[in-house]
Amino acid sequence: MIPVALARPTGQRRLLAALVGTNAAAYIGTSVPISLLLVTHLTSIAGAEATSAFSLVTGIGGLTGLLANPLGGRISDRTAARFGRRRTWIFTAGLGAAILLVVMGWTTAVWQVALGWALITALIAFQLAASSALAADQVAPARRGTVSGVVAFVALAGPVLGFALVSAVPALPWLQWGVVGVLSAAGVLMTVVLVRDPRHQVPDEKPSLALVLRSYWVNPRKHPAFGWAWVVRFLITAAWASNSYLAFVFTQRFGVPTGEVAGKILVLTLIGILCVAVTAWLTGWLSDRIQRQKPFVLGGGLVLAAGLVVVALSPAIPVVYAGAGIMSLGYGTFLATDFALCLRMLPDPESAGRDFAVLNLASILPVAAVPFVAPALLAAGGFAVLFGGLAILGVAGAVSVLRLPDIGQEGQPRFAAMTRG
């Protein structure tokens, strides 16, 4: 077995550019279709049944992505291809997804869209698992905050570029889907050209059901710090999931006509992108400068919770905008350092792909879980209880980070242990 430490890493600037490419490809390939192309495409195919068709397609896609991400991480960990264990899957899965995105423009039935989108989300899940593991393998500890901030920024800026280019071409399905596919392919190719990923030798291990199931689990009793990092990410992401209910605040609390909601959501989106972009760059860089991560995760979670309280008590629409801006500032601060913090909590470099993919479940599950809890909270006390209850989760997530060791504090008994014998 070749230890990761002996592998010659890619130069840090090249690596940063490579991570920008693969993450931009993945987020453009998912966000632009979910927010726009699937809606318009299914409307032309299914007509009045487009809403139900959209729920079916995105639901199946979400499930396949959820299942594929940890499995993709495990497979990349065990890949011994000469092309590199991470680069192999960034290339094959990312380029495969880009090709299918182009093909989606020619689909003519709901089942075709559902099948195509399920395959795309599965492939992008493999790509993202390998991309996160690449960062774990090669990003220098002193640069992790900066890389974390850049990844957070790309997650928002990439889709904006996608939307701009898709909007600039005629509204022809094959052309719009083709633009997204080409952009995704360009990001993937940029990454594989820049990255050096030495061949990795792995021990012989027979495939088994137990091996597959272990792809979805890291024992928190054996690795307490990892468990607490998972809890922090889950709770703060659950608080941020309230963002999807802001449109209902406009229509149900303030009586905004349905036709005017889109414009207000656009304003909120622009506010969110600006706030997250600024905080992601600034706090990621500052985290590296002062060699601290926990204060930013703690502060980000608390600021996010404060924004939720402002929205919960908002007496007018401008206050909703202000609350949403505060939420975005907090979430951007969290995003900019959470990725770097989680990199430190990974139990074993040899299983970085699998382990980080399990952490990614903490980002995926709240998005699915909050819609099931929201009706009960709304019934209990309307939007004040919904946003207030999720604010409590945000505070709990922020406070939970205090259990984790900061940079240089690993092994100190007052913090959760990295590994327990």
Side-chain angles (χ1 to χ4, degrees), residues 220 222-230 341 345 403-405 416-419:
K222 185 176 180 180
H223 306 291
F226 181 94
W228 279 105
W230 199 98
L341 183 143
M345 302 303 140
R403 290 289 299 131
L404 294 170
M418 303 295 288
T419 299

Side-chain angles (χ1 to χ4, degrees), residues 191-281:
T191 298
V192 298
V193 167
L194 291 173
V195 164
R196 297 188 183 96
D197 190 13
R199 187 171 186 174
H200 183 73
Q201 295 179 0
V202 296
D204 292 335
E205 193 170 22
K206 294 182 179 180
S208 65
L209 178 61
L211 181 64
V212 172
L213 293 178
R214 284 200 299 271
S215 301
Y216 300 90
W217 175 253
V218 175
N219 190 342
R221 293 176 63 87
K222 185 176 180 180
H223 306 291
F226 181 94
W228 279 105
W230 199 98
V231 168
V232 170
R233 178 174 278 205
F234 178 88
L235 292 174
I236 293 181
T237 304
W240 176 251
S242 61
N243 198 50
S244 60
Y245 287 86
L246 291 174
F248 294 105
V249 173
F250 289 134
T251 58
Q252 297 181 18
R253 174 178 284 183
F254 299 111
V256 175
T258 304
E260 298 178 13
V261 172
K264 297 189 180 302
I265 294 299
L266 176 60
V267 173
L268 286 179
T269 301
L270 294 175
I271 291 173
I273 290 172
L274 178 63
C275 292
V276 171
V278 170
T279 53
W281 279 103

